[in-house]
Amino acid sequence: MVIVAPYGSWSSPVSADLLVAGAASVNDLWVEGDTTWWSELRPQEAGRVQLVRQVGDGPPTDVLPEGFAARTRVHEYGGGAWWVHEGTVFFANWGDQRLYRLDPGGEPRPITPEPEVEHALRYADGRVTPDGRWVVCVRERHDGGEPQNEIVAVPADGLGAVHVLAGGRDFVAAPRLSRDGRQLAWLTWDHPDMPWDSTELWVGHLTDDALEVGLHEPRRVAGGAGESLVQPEWGHHSQLFVLSDRSGWWNLYRVDGVGPDGTPELTAVVSVAAEIGQPAWVFGQSRYAVTTDGTVVCTWSAGAGAVLRVQPEGGEAVVTPLPFVSLGALRVGGGHVTYLASSGDQEPVIARSPLADPEDVGVVRPGRDLDLDPAVVAHALPVEFPTAGGAVAHAYFYPPVNPAYEAPVGERPPLLVLSHGGPTAAASPAFGLAVQFWTSRGFAVADVDYRGSTGYGRAYRDALRDSWGIVDVDDCCAVATWLVDRDLVDERRLAIRGGSAGGFTTLAALTMREVFSAGASHYGVADLGALARDTHKFESRYLDGLVGPWPEAEATYDERSPINHTDGLDCPLIILQGLEDEVVPPSQAEMMVAALEAKGIPHAYLAFPGEQHGFRQATTIVAALTAELWFYGRVFGFDPAGDIEPITLRFEEKLAPRRTQG
């Protein structure tokens, strides 16, 4: 029998505990022969990143002993924290940030020196020379002033000195060795560019003798102002590939050297009106691979799902649609391509396809068995909607879904508008319990790809230049009013939530617009000027392109900072913050809380010790989610199902009287 109950109050099989119980999100994988390795972020182990190995179809086994975690702090966002060479794992350990070597059957041992200051030397994104003597990787050096980023060669046995191969630029990434070990390719860029703005691809000759290794005749072979390059990879016969957005999309090219006029020459290998590449927020992303015999494998998402393209050298390309919405972390080996696959109705899996028959998909590592009725799963509906200036923006809309319930006649659901982080990032239509938590309780959700998001080409991405805090806010407000106009949501119960840059958009929408009646900021930015002064190196000049050059454009920073517009804030707000956040420091949350307190606006503040930028610990994830649900129930006038402990809500007496339910 279907129960009639107000939206938001429905009992759901998707509990906050389900999000973390046995959860282990896969971030990267590696393949050698019949052995597959992958990394798992485990909330129930305090956010530890464990490495897992599986030989053939045998059982998966944990690799790292207690006390070790494969996670790097380079760029603060990390990625590329581990790699494998002939069965030996090299990884950056979270606790001390040193580089470790783990041989089969052995114990981890450090191969980099212990710095005088904790975490002063950090490592990422490495590869091992074919002879196994050197690890070539990125090193971030913190020894006073702005951190220095370099490409270094570390003796793989830990004996001997570390040699600097390339430096002198603000950033370096993706050092990749040719298959004969004689050439090194890498990416570099300088302030104020971000890697999705302008990067350069360099190549040098690698030489080594018994005592040291060196790089000779370095030269730029691709990239420059206004061109973003990501993921260089070597094929056989010293062919070098890279993803470039010179066409307006991150497509695949072969580097053919430099022309007579000094201009880098690239030959298109795959040309599609879609993004093969992704913004380089983290190291080590892989969206294509080249086999030892020259077969090129790549992926992109088109329409309703992901495709896999396989092209043997000199042969015809085969493009195969797969039953997933996106693929990532592509690795080739043993005649197969292995990848992390996301779908619209289940958690991500590690899957594998034979290169000769990509449709034959086998699952290497399944997601959790959530035991959810398929009828309770809300699926992403891609929508385009008009926004300010005659433009069009994008979002994924999820209607409330729970077959056990229906709302009273005439009631419309509350809406949660999700503003993703970055802001140079993207929403995803992939299944996620964090969305299902809300939709199964009777919320509608709109996950917005505001202008500036990736996945729609460079022109759409560049629409946010000089306009952060304007067009993103316009688009989040526009999708809410567009859904109201279609009678799909309740215009009196519109909320916006987001983390990091999405938290800034949330705060800007609440202080400078009159569309939303509640909001949730997860480690969001309140003061742009303070962020420009205080944040880490990787993003320290990011706002130059999004807002204006700092400090010359200080007036614009002040104008767009939510903290300077709290006079326009008149709706309840919940703020959640990690106390060890180096990207958006706790001071950003605290200044917003002080403003709310001074104005007497209903608000809640939850601060979590031990959390950095993004919540990784199980207790934090559960506490944050249940607190936010209780907050919306109190503000929007419904009683959430289940036994939820109330939080401290300042000035709660100012809220409207609760509605009678039933």
Side-chain angles (χ1 to χ4, degrees):
M1 182 177 178
V2 175
I3 302 170
V4 177
Y7 287 115
S9 69
W10 300 350
S11 179
S12 169
V14 184
S15 66
D17 288 328
L18 184 62
L19 268 71
V20 298
S25 59
V26 177
N27 298 312
D28 200 0
L29 59 92
W30 198 277
V31 174
E32 274 190 353
D34 67 343
T35 304
T36 304
W37 289 262
W38 62 86
S39 56
E40 293 184 354
L41 190 156
R42 298 177 175 176
Q44 290 190 317
E45 296 181 22
R48 179 190 185 201
V49 178
Q50 173 64 280
L51 301 182
V52 181
R53 178 179 60 234
Q54 180 173 329
V55 179
D57 295 325
T61 59
D62 288 354
V63 172
L64 302 182
E66 191 68 30
F68 290 91
R71 183 178 165 204
T72 178
R73 293 186 62 168
V74 179
H75 290 181
E76 296 300 335
Y77 292 108
W82 62 281
W83 50 94
V84 182
H85 178 75
E86 296 182 354
T88 294
V89 177
F90 297 85
F91 69 97
N93 183 47
W94 175 248
D96 57 12
Q97 289 298 293
R98 297 172 73 185
L99 197 60
Y100 282 73
R101 173 184 181 132
L102 177 57
D103 292 297
E107 294 292 321
R109 58 185 179 91
I111 61 172
T112 56
E114 184 175 2
E116 294 182 4
V117 178
E118 187 180 34
H119 300 162
L121 297 176
R122 309 171 181 184
Y123 304 87
D125 207 12
R127 295 293 186 269
V128 182
T129 55
D131 60 10
R133 293 184 58 228
W134 299 96
V135 174
V136 179
C137 62
V138 173
R139 181 178 72 180
E140 187 173 87
R141 180 162 47 89
H142 295 246
D143 53 8
E146 185 173 76
Q148 301 299 304
N149 294 75
E150 305 158 324
I151 293 174
V152 298
V154 177
D157 58 7
L159 304 176
V162 175
H163 297 272
V164 176
L165 300 179
R169 302 291 294 270
D170 289 327
F171 300 98
V172 291
R176 297 294 181 262
L177 293 155
S178 61
R179 295 186 177 178
D180 60 8
R182 296 179 180 178
Q183 297 187 81
L184 177 69
W186 71 97
L187 296 172
T188 186
W189 68 98
D190 294 313
H191 289 312
D193 286 321
M194 299 299 287
W196 43 85
D197 295 325
S198 301
T199 53
E200 298 174 2
L201 176 61
W202 285 66
V203 172
H205 295 289
L206 199 66
T207 61
D208 72 277
D209 55 33
L211 298 177
E212 62 180 81
V213 63
L215 189 67
H216 301 280
E217 300 179 5
R219 63 199 185 279
R220 181 177 68 91
V221 298
E227 182 177 8
S228 171
L229 306 175
V230 294
Q231 197 191 337
E233 300 284 357
W234 292 93
H236 66 339
H237 305 316
S238 296
Q239 289 181 325
L240 180 59
F241 298 84
V242 72
L243 296 171
S244 166
D245 70 350
R246 58 173 46 194
S247 71
W249 302 89
W250 272 308
N251 280 186
L252 183 59
Y253 293 82
R254 186 180 67 245
V255 180
D256 289 330
V258 178
D261 62 351
T263 302
E265 295 183 343
L266 300 183
T267 299
V269 177
V270 182
S271 298
V272 291
E275 304 282 30
I276 300 175
Q278 297 172 297
W281 278 105
V282 297
F283 293 102
Q285 296 179 121
S286 179
R287 297 268 289 178
Y288 77 96
V290 186
T291 69
T292 55
D293 66 1
T295 298
V296 177
V297 186
C298 67
T299 184
W300 65 87
S301 293
V307 300
L308 192 66
R309 183 186 189 273
V310 179
Q311 182 171 11
E313 186 175 42
E316 293 293 324
V318 176
V319 179
T320 305
L322 294 181
F324 305 107
V325 297
S326 65
L327 308 179
L330 263 69
R331 307 291 181 189
V332 292
H336 291 77
V337 55
T338 307
Y339 44 83
L340 181 62
S342 300
S343 66
D345 55 8
Q346 61 179 331
E347 291 192 317
V349 302
I350 297 176
R352 176 179 295 149
S353 297
L355 293 174
D357 185 12
E359 287 185 308
D360 183 15
V361 177
V363 175
V364 177
R365 186 249 192 208
R368 291 178 296 166
D369 182 5
L370 300 173
D371 195 27
L372 290 179
D373 181 351
V376 83
V377 175
H379 293 265
L381 304 173
V383 297
E384 294 184 355
F385 55 92
T387 187
V392 172
H394 304 268
Y396 295 103
F397 178 64
Y398 299 82
V401 175
N402 190 327
Y405 289 88
E406 65 180 33
V409 175
E411 183 177 357
R412 296 293 176 263
L415 172 69
L416 293 185
V417 169
L418 310 187
S419 176
H420 65 68
T424 309
S428 171
F431 173 88
L433 284 176
V435 168
Q436 305 300 324
F437 177 87
W438 300 107
T439 56
S440 59
R441 284 172 167 75
F443 284 80
V445 172
D447 202 353
V448 186
D449 268 337
Y450 47 77
R451 285 167 290 171
S453 302
T454 57
Y456 305 89
R458 173 124 193 180
Y460 194 82
R461 189 167 83 239
D462 283 348
L464 199 61
R465 292 192 67 84
D466 300 320
S467 299
W468 192 34
I470 299 175
V471 301
D472 51 319
V473 177
D474 285 340
D475 296 352
C476 287
C477 292
V479 74
T481 56
W482 185 78
L483 292 169
V484 167
D485 290 344
R486 276 149 186 76
D487 203 27
L488 295 173
V489 298
D490 185 349
E491 64 179 346
R492 300 165 301 169
R493 297 189 291 170
L494 306 177
I496 182 170
R497 70 190 299 264
S500 189
F504 165 76
T505 300
T506 292
L507 295 174
L510 294 174
T511 56
M512 291 181 259
R513 305 297 171 86
E514 296 182 352
V515 173
F516 298 101
S517 48
S521 172
H522 297 240
Y523 37 91
V525 178
D527 186 335
L528 292 174
L531 182 68
R533 292 188 297 268
D534 299 339
T535 196
H536 60 132
K537 178 186 176 181
F538 180 65
E539 292 185 90
S540 62
R541 299 292 300 278
Y542 186 19
L543 302 192
D544 281 32
L546 297 175
V547 181
W550 176 264
E552 294 84 351
E554 184 173 3
T556 304
Y557 283 68
D558 290 343
E559 179 185 349
R560 296 199 198 157
S561 293
I563 193 64
N564 297 326
H565 296 276
T566 55
D567 57 334
L569 180 60
D570 60 3
C571 67
L573 177 63
I574 183 171
I575 296 177
L576 306 104
Q577 177 71 43
L579 291 180
E580 295 181 12
D581 194 335
E582 297 289 340
V583 178
V584 180
S587 58
Q588 291 274 343
E590 291 160 3
M591 67 176 70
M592 200 70 202
V593 171
L596 291 162
E597 187 73 21
K599 196 176 180 186
I601 294 174
H603 67 277
Y605 177 45
L606 280 71
F608 299 101
E611 291 287 5
Q612 294 86 40
H613 196 62
F615 300 152
R616 293 174 172 83
Q617 300 179 36
T619 54
T620 301
I621 294 168
V622 171
L625 199 57
T626 53
E628 192 174 346
L629 174 61
W630 181 90
F631 170 79
Y632 291 136
R634 184 65 189 89
V635 173
F636 288 153
F638 63 83
D639 291 321
D643 185 16
I644 299 177
E645 183 176 349
I647 60 174
T648 299
L649 181 60
R650 295 284 293 148
F651 306 110
E652 183 177 1
E653 68 277 4
K654 293 187 176 183
L655 295 176
R658 297 181 64 77
R659 298 185 305 166
T660 301
Q661 297 190 22

